[in-house]
Amino acid sequence: MKHIVLSIDLKSFYASVECLDRGLDPFSTPLIVADEQRGDGTIVLAASPYIKEKYDVKSRCRLYEVDKTIPGLIIAQPRMERYIKVSAKINMIYLSYVSQEDLHVYSIDESFLDITDYLHYSSCDPYLYARRIIDDIKNKTGLTVTCGIGENIFLAKVAMDIEAKHNADNIAYWKKKDIVEKLWNISPLSKMWGIGRRLEKRLNSLGFYKVGDIASASKDYLKKNFGIIGEEIYYHSLGYDDAVIKNKVTSKNRSLSAGQVLLRDYDANEIETIIRSMAIELSDRMYDKKVISNSFSMYINFSQGGGLSFKLFIPLATASHETIGKKLASLFLKDIDKYREKKFRGVYLCANDIYFEDTYQLSLFDSEEKHDRQIALEKTTKEIRKLYGVRKAMPCSSLNFSSTFLDRSQQIGGHHR
């Protein structure tokens, strides 16, 4: 069955929200979203359409790359809580046009909608149905969006990425008959969804420079050189994509992680504090989802590149930050003298192969009373932080100069609320 899919992107989302909240037009305002407190090397999370076009400022560049003499330049501090609220409002608009099962939220500013079953009842063609949604978003939020329409998820996405962003009405509709003219001429290859810079270089080395080159190649040759990815890009180059939004896929290998990039170079003797505070963050997420794990990983990055990795297996599965933090910190401290001369810039913890805590089983050598008391204490302090603020139940180490615990508690996704 042929599906009609919309790929909708909120244009310069963070920057547009900041402009509109200030009563400014994103298409005539030089605004970027970046946290100046993190220094000139911080990443520009978003740039307004105006500053992108007139001054060639790109999202994801570094702040020092932006010309500070641009007349009227506004550097807006990120407000993740605000962006999440606006995104949620837009998702509710989507749900007035399609059911939950036909909506896939791809990211905070991009979604896929399968409108196949709604066109007949609305007496609309795909373009008009997309136009209604776009106009509704504009009227209710002020945001401008771009929309790709395709006969599958892939065609909708590339129609949006390649053409819609350049059309006056911000809409592009790609059908199978458009593949030769529009899809096969895409170059460089990294412009096509699913091909990153590294894969592009490997493809170039084998003589592939346009999507049409991939389409004319042997599927077996691509699979031999690139594995399952080679087979995938071959089918995409022909405009094939059999994924259906209704058929949600849940990964069997589940994990949870917590990590942060440090805002300055840290010495080795400061890292234990960060490990323990990140263990609390990871533990809180595990308690929220009611999961535990036996297996944990830790990655600690050097400021000059490279880093350290550690693996931890705990016979008794847990979500306790006291246990996780203590054991992971001990792995690092065991050989700390080797790292005295190093500087560090990132700490990442991961709970691997998590499963629900109702399957928990004590070993013969563990005290059930001690275990239950520790878990009850940690869950209680977590709820206190949630209800009354992080300062009401925080570790003493959070007062340490090295600690980022308080700052992190005021952030969402590593950025200001």
Side-chain angles (χ1 to χ4, degrees):
M1 176 183 174
K2 184 175 73 174
H3 288 259
I4 302 298
V5 178
L6 307 183
S7 174
I8 301 180
D9 177 72
L10 308 176
K11 199 164 187 175
S12 301
F13 179 48
Y14 297 169
S16 294
V17 170
E18 293 296 340
C19 286
L20 292 169
D21 282 357
R22 290 167 168 79
L24 303 172
D25 181 1
F27 294 90
S28 61
T29 302
L31 181 144
I32 59 173
V33 179
D35 189 353
E36 288 185 281
Q37 297 176 9
R38 299 190 174 191
D40 222 27
T42 193
I43 292 175
V44 173
L45 297 178
S48 66
Y50 173 79
I51 202 171
K52 281 182 177 179
E53 183 176 346
K54 184 165 185 177
Y55 297 98
D56 196 30
V57 174
K58 294 179 171 53
S59 297
R60 313 307 295 178
C61 70
R62 299 287 178 174
L63 185 56
Y64 64 75
E65 298 178 79
V66 180
D67 181 3
K68 306 303 190 301
T69 65
I70 294 174
L73 175 65
I74 299 173
I75 303 177
Q77 186 172 351
R79 298 182 297 153
M80 299 307 297
E81 197 166 38
R82 173 61 177 155
Y83 308 146
I84 290 171
K85 286 181 178 178
V86 176
S87 180
K89 182 176 182 179
I90 291 167
N91 286 334
M92 292 306 296
I93 294 174
Y94 293 149
L95 290 173
S96 66
Y97 290 90
V98 298
S99 66
Q100 182 72 56
E101 64 179 2
D102 289 315
L103 170 65
H104 175 66
V105 180
Y106 186 58
S107 67
I108 192 171
D109 60 353
E110 192 169 348
S111 296
F112 294 104
L113 290 73
D114 189 331
I115 61 171
T116 309
D117 296 335
Y118 309 93
L119 297 176
H120 174 71
Y121 299 104
S122 64
S123 299
C124 289
D125 62 23
Y127 182 92
L128 182 56
Y129 204 76
R131 183 78 266 165
R132 285 184 177 180
I133 297 173
I134 289 173
D135 291 343
D136 203 4
I137 293 172
K138 182 71 172 179
N139 292 334
K140 292 178 179 176
T141 69
L143 292 168
T144 298
V145 307
T146 54
C147 176
I149 309 171
E151 295 175 5
N152 54 49
I153 292 173
F154 173 75
L155 284 178
K157 173 65 173 170
V158 290
M160 190 268 291
D161 286 340
I162 304 301
E163 185 181 345
K165 292 180 178 181
H166 305 289
N167 289 347
D169 62 359
N170 296 312
I171 301 177
Y173 189 178
W174 284 19
K175 302 177 181 179
K176 291 289 178 66
K177 65 182 180 63
D178 298 314
I179 289 171
V180 174
E181 179 186 350
K182 296 182 177 181
L183 180 62
W184 285 7
N185 284 315
I186 294 176
S187 181
L189 291 172
S190 56
K191 291 175 66 176
M192 188 182 91
W193 188 41
I195 298 180
R197 297 286 185 185
R198 294 175 64 181
L199 180 55
E200 178 188 57
K201 288 182 179 179
R202 291 181 61 197
L203 287 163
N204 290 167
S205 70
L206 295 175
F208 300 98
Y209 293 94
K210 291 184 176 182
V211 174
D213 297 335
I214 299 173
S216 62
S218 161
K219 180 186 70 174
D220 293 337
Y221 175 79
L222 289 165
K223 187 174 183 179
K224 178 181 177 182
N225 283 276
F226 301 99
I228 191 67
I229 296 298
E231 189 173 10
E232 181 181 88
I233 62 174
Y234 171 76
Y235 283 119
H236 279 176
S237 72
L238 297 175
Y240 295 146
D241 184 357
D242 58 4
V244 177
I245 293 175
K246 277 187 175 71
N247 302 334
K248 303 287 195 280
V249 176
T250 303
S251 173
K252 293 181 180 179
N253 296 320
R254 303 177 62 216
S255 64
L256 283 175
S257 62
Q260 65 172 302
V261 176
L262 303 170
L263 301 184
R264 61 174 175 83
D265 287 349
Y266 270 57
D267 294 325
N269 59 7
E270 298 179 284
I271 294 299
E272 180 183 4
T273 298
I274 302 299
I275 293 173
R276 288 181 175 271
S277 65
M278 295 311 299
I280 295 175
E281 189 171 324
L282 177 60
S283 173
D284 283 355
R285 293 180 185 180
M286 295 177 75
Y287 285 139
D288 280 339
K289 295 185 177 294
K290 296 180 172 55
V291 296
I292 54 179
S293 179
N294 297 91
S295 175
F296 298 87
S297 304
M298 177 170 67
Y299 307 91
I300 304 176
N301 293 345
F302 298 137
S303 60
Q304 298 301 318
L308 308 168
S309 64
F310 302 88
K311 299 289 185 182
L312 172 66
F313 178 79
I314 303 174
L316 177 61
T318 188
S320 166
H321 69 73
E322 177 67 24
T323 301
I324 299 168
K326 181 179 179 180
K327 290 185 179 293
L328 286 175
S330 68
L331 290 178
F332 175 76
L333 295 173
K334 180 181 178 182
D335 294 315
I336 192 172
D337 289 338
K338 295 180 181 179
Y339 321 125
R340 292 290 184 190
E341 303 304 316
K342 295 287 188 180
K343 300 295 182 182
F344 300 86
R345 268 302 179 103
V347 176
Y348 307 87
L349 310 185
C350 182
N352 308 304
D353 303 321
I354 57 176
Y355 53 92
F356 290 107
E357 62 185 6
D358 57 8
T359 59
Y360 168 82
Q361 184 175 356
L362 285 168
S363 76
L364 294 174
F365 304 100
D366 291 297
S367 166
E368 183 173 1
E369 182 181 355
K370 181 180 179 181
H371 172 269
D372 290 347
R373 187 166 59 247
Q374 179 64 35
I375 295 300
L377 174 62
E378 293 188 9
K379 287 184 176 181
T380 300
T381 56
K382 174 187 175 299
E383 288 304 310
I384 291 173
R385 288 195 293 271
K386 182 178 179 180
L387 292 173
Y388 303 107
V390 69
R391 293 179 181 273
K392 300 300 183 182
M394 63 184 185
C396 293
S397 62
S398 62
L399 300 176
N400 189 308
F401 172 74
S402 303
S403 177
T404 59
F405 185 82
L406 289 175
D407 286 340
R408 294 277 298 177
S409 69
Q410 303 304 313
Q411 297 175 353
I412 297 177
H415 299 286
H416 287 280
R417 291 179 180 271

